[in-house]
Amino acid sequence: MSLTYKNIIVAVDGSDEADWAFKKAIEITKRNDAELHIVHIYELRVYPSDAASIKARAEKFGNELLQRYLKKAKEAGLQKVSTLLEFGSPKAAITKKAKKVIKADLIICGKTGLNAVEHMFIGSVSENIARSAHCDVLIVKTQKNEE
């Protein structure tokens, strides 16, 4: 059993909580000399009349978001960094990609994200990741969460 991490996923959605998680991920990645995988999963609820337009905007937003985080990671001195943009349910996709594609040994995410309404009704992405992940999970709380 290894006490270091080699493949770390940080889930980002553009929220303040994701920013905090990303900052922690940078430091943990450095301490472990690991590879950081920055993942954004866009939940696309398709409406037939404008599906292509919605998906195009979501893809543009996701790619721009990932590029901003990639730039920050490289500015922080990380050499081994990748990004992944997927469409689907973040609750399922993050842990599936973590296991199959990335072989992550740590997933880092914010306690809450952009979709607070969904959290009230069916639970948060972070809760689902913690329950279904095959690896360690770090759920990052911000100062705002503590108040």
Side-chain angles (χ1 to χ4, degrees):
M1 180 171 130
S2 177
L3 296 177
T4 60
Y5 298 109
K6 295 297 171 202
N7 286 292
I8 299 171
I9 286 179
V10 62
V12 297
D13 64 1
S15 66
D16 291 341
E17 287 77 9
D19 286 343
W20 278 98
F22 177 75
K23 289 173 186 171
K24 288 231 185 202
I26 294 281
E27 295 309 312
I28 293 168
T29 301
K30 285 180 179 180
R31 284 195 305 265
N32 287 271
D33 190 30
E35 184 167 348
L36 182 63
H37 306 273
I38 308 166
V39 176
H40 176 69
I41 310 293
Y42 191 87
E43 187 160 7
L44 189 61
R45 296 185 177 137
V46 178
Y47 302 97
S49 61
D50 58 353
S53 147
I54 292 172
K55 185 171 183 187
R57 284 194 310 260
E59 193 165 11
K60 182 178 187 293
F61 170 82
N63 282 321
E64 288 172 357
L65 180 73
L66 289 171
Q67 289 307 306
R68 282 196 310 267
Y69 281 111
L70 179 63
K71 182 180 178 196
K72 288 179 185 179
K74 293 197 179 229
E75 287 171 353
L78 295 184
Q79 301 298 315
K80 299 179 280 186
V81 186
S82 68
T83 61
L84 177 65
L85 173 65
E86 290 283 330
F87 292 90
S89 167
K91 293 177 180 185
I94 291 170
T95 54
K96 284 181 184 172
K97 294 298 176 186
K99 187 173 186 179
K100 291 181 183 174
V101 177
I102 297 171
K103 298 186 179 23
D105 44 20
L106 176 64
I107 300 172
I108 302 173
C109 59
K111 183 175 183 279
T112 57
L114 291 176
N115 199 341
V117 173
E118 183 176 292
H119 172 227
M120 286 177 23
F121 292 109
I122 57 176
S124 73
V125 171
S126 60
E127 289 173 276
N128 190 279
I129 290 170
R131 281 194 302 269
S132 62
H134 72 287
C135 61
D136 291 348
V137 176
L138 174 61
I139 300 172
V140 177
K141 294 182 176 184
T142 65
Q143 221 173 8
K144 183 173 73 175
N145 295 133
E146 299 286 319
E147 294 172 353

